[in-house]
């Protein structure tokens, strides 16, 4: 039992607390209480999100947002956003393409295949190439570039993506800019040949009439997440060639064009075993990467096999896009589900991703 001295200390502390609380009005006390409760919600995760992906074991399970991104729609534009990733084995705090992760295409252009191996595909300036060609999905890229005097090939970057799925088409491109201003949005979108306007502002969203295509801004400008439910997710960011890049690589970028281009990262859901394309072929189960190990910049060919006549064409020699034919898909990603924890707890964080 507590001693008389200890009890006296407790009584004194209580009296002091009453004096302090008495100095506040009821409104002030209410505000303090709301702030306290808000803090608890931030710690334990105010929002719970649900995965609806049909082939995920997390389907229909509610997953609490982690402490680092407790809200799916925070009022502060600088806060990270909580969203569901039905395949994620870890909780990431990144809204933009991970240029060092599988399925990415960045820089000049530098690809990382499904096998995690880095390779370069240069293509040619102002031409189009198939990145992914499967029975029900075609993704092409338009390359821009230049060839300084004395060079045997073009420096190239991905300027636009063209996507064919079902009977629809979608394109997004980085618009030309003389100088770079990240506050100005450089993205242009079209759906079935019609321009799509997506208001500036983080979390601004556009959906097709059938909700088979969703485009969400992941920052105020120049970054979006394109979702084809049950098919693919594409994280896109527009960036310029900086003066430092130009100095290091000797691109000889002109003063009236900063060569705004795309950084992209793809996540696919169940590509077939016969998928083709510059990047798509790396998702074949028996694919052997021709990139030579130990080479600083392993360049992989295929420009003849994967060249298309336009951004929204599927006429390359190796293209397999044929949405009207019945498909016999093999979900190559299903093996990853075995180690996914859908609890979204503070230790695992699986299934929930923080987006800046």
């Amino acid at each position: 039992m507590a001693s008389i001295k200890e009890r006296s200390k407790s009584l004194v502390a209580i009296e002091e607390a009453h004096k302090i609380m008495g100095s506040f009005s009821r409104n002030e006390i209410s505000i303090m209480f709301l702030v306290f409760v808000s803090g608890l919600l931030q710690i334990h995760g105010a929002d719970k999100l649900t995965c609806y992906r049909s082939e995920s074991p997390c389907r229909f399970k509610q997953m609490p947002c982690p402490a680092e991104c407790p809200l799916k729609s925070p009022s502060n534009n600088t806060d990270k956003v909580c969203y569901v990733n039905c395949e994620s084995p870890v909780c990431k705090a990144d809204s933009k393409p991970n240029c060092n992760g599988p399925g990415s295409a960045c820089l000049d252009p530098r690809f990382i295949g499904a096998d995690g191996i880095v390779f370069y595909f240069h293509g040619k300036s102002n031409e189009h190439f198939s990145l992914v060609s499967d029975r029900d999905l075609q993704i092409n890229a338009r390359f821009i570039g230049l060839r300084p005097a004395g060079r045997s090939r073009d420096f190239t970057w991905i300027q636009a993506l063209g996507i064919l799925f079902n009977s629809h088409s979608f394109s997004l491109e980085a618009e030309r800019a003389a100088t770079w201003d990240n506050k100005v949005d450089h993205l242009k979108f079209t759906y079935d040949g019609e321009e799509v306007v997506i208001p500036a502002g983080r979390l601004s969203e556009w959906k097709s009439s059938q909700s088979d295509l969703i485009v969400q801004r992941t920052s105020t400008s120049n970054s979006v997440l394109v979702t084809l439910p049950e098919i693919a997710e594409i994280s896109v960011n527009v960036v310029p060639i900086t003066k430092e890049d130009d100095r290091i690589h000797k691109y000889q970028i002109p003063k009236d064009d900063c060569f705004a281009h795309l950084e992209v990262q793809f996540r696919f859901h169940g590509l077939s075993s016969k998928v083709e394309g510059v990047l798509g072929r790396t998702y074949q189960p028996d694919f052997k990467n021709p990139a030579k190990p130990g080479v600083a910049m392993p360049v992989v060919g295929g420009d003849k096999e994967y060249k298309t006549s336009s951004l929204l064409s599927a006429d390359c020699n190796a293209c397999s896009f044929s949405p009207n034919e019945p498909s016999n898909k093999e979900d190559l990603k299903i093996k990853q589900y075995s180690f996914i924890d859908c609890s979204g707890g503070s230790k695992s964080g699986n299934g929930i991703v923080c987006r800046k």
Side-chain angles (χ1 to χ4, degrees):
M1 295 180 64
S3 64
I4 296 176
K5 187 175 182 180
E6 288 173 339
R7 290 179 182 177
S8 298
K9 286 183 179 180
S10 298
L11 290 172
V12 170
I14 292 171
E15 289 176 0
E16 290 296 326
H18 278 297
K19 288 180 182 179
I20 294 172
M21 294 302 292
S23 65
F24 293 103
S25 67
R26 288 186 177 182
N27 287 339
E28 289 173 326
I29 293 173
S30 297
I31 291 171
M32 291 170 63
F33 177 75
L34 289 174
V35 170
F36 174 73
V37 171
S38 176
L40 289 178
L41 290 175
Q42 291 287 325
I43 293 172
H44 296 292
D47 289 335
K48 289 185 178 182
L49 302 182
T50 304
C51 170
Y52 292 102
R53 179 159 156 68
S54 61
E55 294 175 343
S56 171
C58 300
R59 190 184 188 193
F60 300 141
K61 293 186 178 181
Q62 284 194 330
M63 296 175 280
C65 296
E68 61 265 33
C69 55
L71 303 175
K72 61 182 179 181
S73 299
S75 57
N76 190 337
N77 285 340
T78 61
D79 289 348
K80 298 172 184 175
V81 178
C82 176
Y83 80 106
V84 174
N85 178 357
C86 298
E87 290 185 352
S88 178
V90 294
C91 179
K92 298 179 181 178
D94 195 358
S95 65
K96 297 178 181 179
N98 176 8
C99 289
N100 294 314
S104 62
C106 304
L107 305 173
D108 174 21
R110 172 183 180 267
F111 291 86
I112 301 182
D115 53 6
I117 295 178
V118 175
F119 65 93
Y120 290 78
F121 176 85
H122 296 306
K124 292 182 180 179
S125 178
N126 300 317
E127 293 190 356
H128 306 87
F129 298 90
S130 169
L131 301 187
V132 176
S133 186
D134 209 358
R135 186 161 293 176
D136 58 359
L137 177 66
Q138 178 82 22
I139 302 176
N140 297 335
R142 178 192 297 136
F143 287 30
I144 55 171
L146 74 170
R147 183 181 300 189
R151 287 192 59 86
S152 59
R153 65 166 183 85
D154 297 340
F155 285 116
T156 56
W157 298 272
I158 295 175
Q159 180 265 338
L161 293 179
I163 303 172
L164 301 173
F165 63 102
N166 299 329
S167 58
H168 301 290
S169 65
F170 175 77
S171 71
L172 63 88
E173 61 181 277
E175 295 189 290
R176 186 182 184 278
T179 58
W180 182 257
D181 183 352
N182 196 46
K183 294 180 181 179
V184 176
D185 189 53
H186 299 273
L187 279 167
K188 180 180 179 181
F189 311 93
T190 68
Y191 178 73
D192 287 346
E194 300 291 331
E195 185 172 352
V196 171
V197 177
I198 303 176
R202 197 163 62 100
L203 300 184
S204 179
E205 185 178 270
W206 176 89
K207 292 183 180 181
S208 63
S209 59
Q210 298 177 337
S211 295
D212 54 0
L213 175 69
I214 304 167
V215 185
Q216 183 185 55
R217 290 192 183 275
T218 53
S219 65
T220 304
S221 59
N222 297 311
S223 298
V224 295
L225 178 69
V226 179
T227 302
L228 298 166
E230 305 295 325
I231 298 176
E233 293 177 1
I234 310 169
S235 183
V236 181
N237 191 37
V238 184
V239 294
I241 300 297
T242 66
K243 291 182 179 179
E244 183 65 10
D245 291 334
D246 190 20
R247 183 189 68 80
I248 293 173
H249 299 288
K250 298 180 174 61
Y251 293 136
Q252 298 181 31
I253 299 296
K255 294 182 179 180
D256 63 345
D257 192 348
C258 66
F259 277 78
H261 62 282
L262 305 179
E263 295 178 333
V264 298
Q265 185 177 25
F266 301 92
R267 180 183 296 113
F268 300 106
H269 307 308
L271 293 170
S272 77
S273 60
K274 296 181 180 180
V275 61
E276 272 290 356
V278 174
L279 178 65
R281 57 184 167 177
T282 69
Y283 288 82
Q284 296 173 4
D286 56 351
F287 174 73
K288 294 182 180 180
N289 203 313
K292 295 181 180 180
V295 177
M297 291 183 63
V299 179
V300 172
D303 54 319
K304 292 182 180 179
E305 292 87 346
Y306 301 123
K307 181 180 176 181
T308 63
S309 59
S310 70
L311 186 64
L312 295 172
S313 296
D315 55 1
C316 71
N317 292 333
C319 285
S320 58
F321 180 68
S322 183
N324 296 323
E325 293 183 14
S327 71
N328 180 22
K329 280 181 165 289
E330 297 175 14
D331 192 340
L332 306 181
K333 295 294 183 181
I334 197 70
K335 295 178 182 178
Q336 295 186 10
Y337 294 150
S338 60
F339 56 84
I340 291 180
D341 174 8
C342 304
S343 66
S346 59
K347 292 184 179 180
S348 67
N350 297 341
I352 292 290
V353 176
C354 297
R355 176 184 292 138
K356 288 184 180 179

